[in-house]
């Protein structure tokens, strides 16, 4: 083992180089740490849903009504949130629960030719705007996912969606960032923000959130009487 390799190994895997007692102490610390993280994750999710259950139900009802009218979902995000956007689209398009129908959903992050064309020719802030203009119609749902709530391309996407009459929904984290500002200014229909600074806990809660919304939407679609629009 070279000196550089050994230094790396000692820095990142110290339990391989210490005595047996040190290794046992480290593994005990890691066991404690992993359980702390698991409890923290569960606690963040529980508090989030307790504080946002009415909004989650309202979002689910809005999506179910959109599907009831024959509309679709457009989903977008960046980085890990782009992966979540893909996950949302797959859940609706390819339901794994027997008896649940496939529903139209498009992940705007997936079309790399389109994304890179717009990023190159216009700018990264507008990579979703062009797709929304081409694919969206009034009554569709636009869901944007961002751990910070500050992704510029999502803010532009929401502005475009609002102008076109789409239902706009933001998943955020921390203080909600610019997404919450849009909601306060009535330029975003719904904003669900996970109040923690941990990116991991935000993303974990987002996954649970869209799985629960998926289930609620399908349940609501089984009760058409719930989907009639309230009187103006």
């Amino acid at each position: 083992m070279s000196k550089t390799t050994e230094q790396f190994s000692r820095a990142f895997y110290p339990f391989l180089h210490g005595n047996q007692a040190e290794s046992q102490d480290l593994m005990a610390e890691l066991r404690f740490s992993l359980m702390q993280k698991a409890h923290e994750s569960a606690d963040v999710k529980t508090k989030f849903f307790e504080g946002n259950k009415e909004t989650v139900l309202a979002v689910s009802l809005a999506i179910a009504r959109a599907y009831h009218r024959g509309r679709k979902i457009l989903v977008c995000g960046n980085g890990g949130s782009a992966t979540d956007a893909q996950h949302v689209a797959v859940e609706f398009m390819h339901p794994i629960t027997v008896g649940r129908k496939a529903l139209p959903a498009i992940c705007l992050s997936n079309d790399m030719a389109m994304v890179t064309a717009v990023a190159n020719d216009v700018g990264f802030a507008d990579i979703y705007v062009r797709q929304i203009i081409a694919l969206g119609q009034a009554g569709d749902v636009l869901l944007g996912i961002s751990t910070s709530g500050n992704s510029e391309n999502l803010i532009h996407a929401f502005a475009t969606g609002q102008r076109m009459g789409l239902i706009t929904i933001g998943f955020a984290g921390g203080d909600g960032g610019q997404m919450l500002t849009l909601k306060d200014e009535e330029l975003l229909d719904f904003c669900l923000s996970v109040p923690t600074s941990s990116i991991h806990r935000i993303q974990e809660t987002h996954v649970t959130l869209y799985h629960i919304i998926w289930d609620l939407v399908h349940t609501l679609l089984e009760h058409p009487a719930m989907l009639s629009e309230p009187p103006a």
Side-chain angles (χ1 to χ4, degrees):
M1 181 183 293
S2 70
K3 184 176 181 181
T4 302
T5 303
E6 183 175 358
Q7 288 173 337
F8 177 87
S9 180
R10 286 184 178 279
F12 288 92
Y13 308 105
F15 56 87
L16 297 177
H17 302 275
N19 58 41
Q20 186 174 4
E22 289 175 341
S23 298
Q24 290 175 343
D25 288 344
L26 177 60
M27 295 307 292
E29 290 176 12
L30 293 176
R31 289 188 191 94
F32 178 76
S33 177
L34 77 86
M35 291 309 302
Q36 274 194 315
K37 289 177 172 61
H39 289 308
E40 178 189 346
S41 181
D43 186 54
V44 167
K45 286 194 281 286
T46 299
K47 289 180 179 177
F48 168 79
F49 285 105
E50 285 176 346
N52 291 277
K53 55 182 176 290
E54 297 303 325
T55 304
V56 173
L57 287 170
V59 165
S60 302
L61 183 58
I63 295 173
R65 282 175 172 160
Y67 277 129
H68 187 64
R69 294 192 303 266
R71 297 298 190 260
K72 62 184 176 295
I73 292 183
L74 305 177
V75 202
C76 51
N78 299 285
S81 296
T83 304
D84 281 330
Q86 278 187 308
H87 193 163
V88 171
V90 170
E91 291 288 346
F92 281 102
M93 291 282 284
H94 179 58
I96 59 172
T97 302
V98 174
R100 296 288 172 87
K101 63 185 294 186
L103 298 167
I106 302 172
C107 176
L108 303 181
S109 311
N110 281 0
D111 191 342
M112 290 310 300
M114 183 65 180
V115 167
T116 53
V118 176
N120 184 64
D121 298 341
V122 182
F124 193 73
D126 292 315
I127 59 173
Y128 298 129
V129 168
R130 296 298 179 92
Q131 295 186 73
I132 293 166
I133 292 171
L135 300 172
Q137 59 179 316
D140 282 347
V141 174
L142 173 62
L143 170 59
I145 305 173
S146 168
T147 55
S148 68
N150 291 318
S151 300
E152 187 179 17
N153 51 22
L154 298 190
I155 302 304
H156 285 205
F158 288 137
T160 300
Q162 285 285 95
R163 287 195 300 270
M164 293 176 60
L166 278 67
I167 300 162
T168 51
I169 303 168
F171 288 2
D175 62 4
Q178 293 183 54
M179 280 192 191
L180 187 59
T181 300
L182 288 180
K183 177 65 175 65
D184 291 341
E185 295 174 353
E186 299 184 352
L187 299 174
L188 180 65
D189 294 316
F190 301 99
C191 181
L192 285 159
S193 185
V194 183
T196 176
S197 60
S198 169
I199 302 299
H200 291 156
R201 303 296 89 84
I202 294 168
Q203 291 175 332
E204 290 158 6
T205 305
H206 283 173
V207 173
T208 304
L209 175 59
Y210 57 73
H211 279 155
I212 287 175
I213 287 175
W214 176 89
D215 189 62
L216 292 172
V217 167
H218 279 281
T219 300
L220 287 164
L221 287 172
E222 294 169 0
H223 298 82
M226 291 286 295
L227 304 178
S228 58
E229 296 289 350

